[in-house]
Amino acid sequence: MEFATFILAAQRGYHQSPDSVIRNSIEQTTLSEQAGFSTAWFAEHHFNNYSLVPSPLLMVAHCAGLTSSIRLGTAVCVLPLYQPQRLLAEIGFADIVANGRLELGVGSGYQQFEFDRFGVDIDEAPAVFSEYLDILLKGLKQKIFSHSGHYMQIPPTAISVRTLQKPTPPIWIATASPKTAVRAYREGHNLFVTAFHDGLETLGMLRGIIETAAASEGKKVRDAKISLLRCCYASDDSAEINSYLDNARFQRRLSEALHQRRQQSQDGYLLEETPTHQDLSFDTMRKNLPIGSINRVIDRLLEEIDVLKPDQIAIQTQLGDLDQKTMLRQIELWGDRIIPAVQKSLGQADA
């Protein structure tokens, strides 16, 4: 069982400067390596305070020079917002400066607010994603490639800066649909999934989708790696836990607003936090998630691992304006106590 950190780089208000948010995210990454996490994942978002990372590959390239062993991943590059030809060279560059530590996560995106500002039709995002992923696979695997598709025509082209990892870095597809899961198994990619703030029932549904996708391609589930993005937090301090939950719910409210194609912003940038019917109470979130005392978190993680059987848990670190020193202590706590305990329970004490 691997453990990763997922770094969104959120800004809850103007009391947080972009400079401090980005530098805090970098500090969390370097500490994650010291604490024994296998991977640090970086999100991609644009034009609002939901996340301040416009290019996860930039974060990979920068953090590559500050780390030596932790793998660095994009979660995810939103393919319809890129020129795939340029992205291919940037992928190669990032893998080179990271000495072959790049994990390449890709997705189709979901925020119309972003797509409108790039002039891309979000209703075509799944089809564009599929074609652009075809292009990436050609460019990564072939010295000279060409492409003739619905959205892109590329004459014979060579990418000068190629990845160290051959034929490609590990490719992860962010999926919430059976169709993308099927493609992952057909082509040998990995899966990046989330149950948001839901509990074991949703994890069971995810497992069912994955099993069906694998079977449809004549594969075993273990033929692809599965990473579960999860809000997790361990503390005996109820005020500290409530602060994490408050920030987690804030982040979810913004995500839902953007997903539902609503722009909740008075100044054109800072999104308003608006309660919705999908809000969960703190009590429900504590019940559903690995949140609470150290023992409670360990026990709950083992329950979730038993249901979904992932290869990796990616814990959501910084959310909103949770205090940075508190977050750094949390990362250290996972390295010192929680990760070793979970691996020991799974018979992976020497992992």
Side-chain angles (χ1 to χ4, degrees):
M1 176 60 58
E2 298 177 358
F3 285 86
T5 48
F6 178 82
I7 297 172
L8 188 62
Q11 179 189 25
R12 191 161 187 176
Y14 290 122
H15 60 286
Q16 297 168 279
S17 70
D19 175 76
S20 66
V21 171
I22 295 299
R23 293 190 183 282
N24 285 350
S25 298
I26 293 167
E27 187 178 16
Q28 291 162 31
T29 303
T30 57
L31 184 60
S32 295
E33 176 174 74
Q34 296 168 27
F37 286 87
S38 66
T39 306
W41 295 101
F42 306 107
E44 174 187 338
H45 292 284
H46 305 273
F47 312 126
N48 58 65
N49 59 307
Y50 179 71
S51 169
L52 302 192
V53 177
S55 168
L57 285 170
L58 279 177
M59 285 291 282
V60 168
H62 178 73
C63 292
L66 303 174
T67 58
S68 60
S69 60
I70 192 170
R71 296 189 66 80
L72 302 166
T74 62
V76 294
C77 289
V78 183
L79 292 192
L81 305 184
Y82 286 86
Q83 287 183 314
Q85 313 93 307
R86 182 184 182 94
L87 182 59
L88 276 163
E90 293 176 353
I91 290 167
F93 183 91
D95 195 47
I96 287 171
V97 298
N99 293 318
R101 288 185 283 141
L102 174 65
E103 299 280 324
L104 181 61
V106 295
S108 60
Y110 67 92
Q111 296 186 3
Q112 184 173 7
F113 185 89
E114 297 177 326
F115 276 65
D116 287 349
R117 284 151 182 79
F118 279 105
V120 179
D121 184 352
I122 195 169
D123 291 328
E124 295 189 358
V128 176
F129 167 81
S130 181
E131 183 171 325
Y132 284 11
L133 181 54
D134 289 341
I135 295 170
L136 289 188
L137 293 172
K138 289 180 181 179
L140 288 167
K141 295 179 179 180
Q142 300 173 22
K143 187 173 182 180
I144 299 176
F145 75 99
S146 59
H147 180 80
S148 178
H150 181 74
Y151 297 101
M152 188 72 64
Q153 302 291 322
I154 304 173
T157 300
I159 303 299
S160 56
V161 184
R162 307 185 65 81
T163 60
L164 293 180
Q165 299 179 88
K166 304 298 182 186
T168 74
I171 294 175
W172 300 74
I173 297 182
T175 180
S177 74
K179 184 177 180 180
T180 50
V182 168
R183 176 166 187 175
Y185 276 99
R186 182 170 63 248
E187 298 181 352
H189 309 316
N190 301 320
L191 298 172
F192 203 85
V193 301
T194 180
F196 300 107
H197 299 159
D198 295 337
L200 296 177
E201 181 179 354
T202 298
L203 290 173
M205 291 173 58
L206 281 173
R207 179 69 187 184
I209 290 171
I210 292 169
E211 288 177 345
T212 300
S216 72
E217 292 296 317
K219 301 290 183 65
K220 297 181 175 63
V221 172
R222 64 175 178 270
D223 289 334
K225 293 179 69 175
I226 302 166
S227 180
L228 172 65
L229 172 60
R230 205 67 168 137
C231 285
C232 309
Y233 198 86
S235 177
D236 292 321
D237 186 329
S238 59
E240 192 175 300
I241 287 176
N242 285 344
S243 177
Y244 182 83
L245 291 170
D246 177 62
N247 280 287
R249 191 163 65 182
F250 156 79
Q251 212 68 48
R252 184 67 187 140
R253 285 171 175 170
L254 263 58
S255 176
E256 288 170 358
L258 291 163
H259 185 260
Q260 294 166 11
R261 307 184 180 188
R262 299 197 308 270
Q263 179 182 347
Q264 297 178 327
S265 178
Q266 292 183 347
D267 64 3
Y269 169 70
L270 197 69
L271 295 166
E272 296 179 6
E273 177 187 1
T274 303
T276 75
H277 69 280
Q278 293 180 299
D279 279 351
L280 300 179
S281 68
F282 286 0
D283 285 343
T284 300
M285 292 171 73
R286 277 191 290 265
K287 178 182 177 182
N288 286 350
L289 298 165
I291 290 176
S293 69
I294 291 175
N295 287 338
R296 151 70 183 168
V297 168
I298 293 167
D299 290 344
R300 182 64 180 188
L301 281 171
L302 292 171
E303 285 184 287
E304 296 190 352
I305 290 167
D306 187 58
V307 172
L308 183 63
K309 299 176 176 59
D311 302 276
Q312 182 187 91
I313 303 290
I315 70 167
Q316 180 88 56
T317 54
Q318 186 66 33
L319 288 166
D321 59 0
L322 187 73
D323 176 69
Q324 171 74 349
K325 290 183 179 179
T326 302
M327 190 71 257
L328 296 178
R329 287 199 305 270
Q330 183 71 192
I331 292 172
E332 289 177 332
L333 178 64
W334 277 73
D336 291 341
R337 300 280 301 278
I338 298 172
I339 293 174
V342 171
Q343 291 180 337
K344 181 177 180 181
S345 294
L346 296 172
Q348 300 172 341
D350 296 324

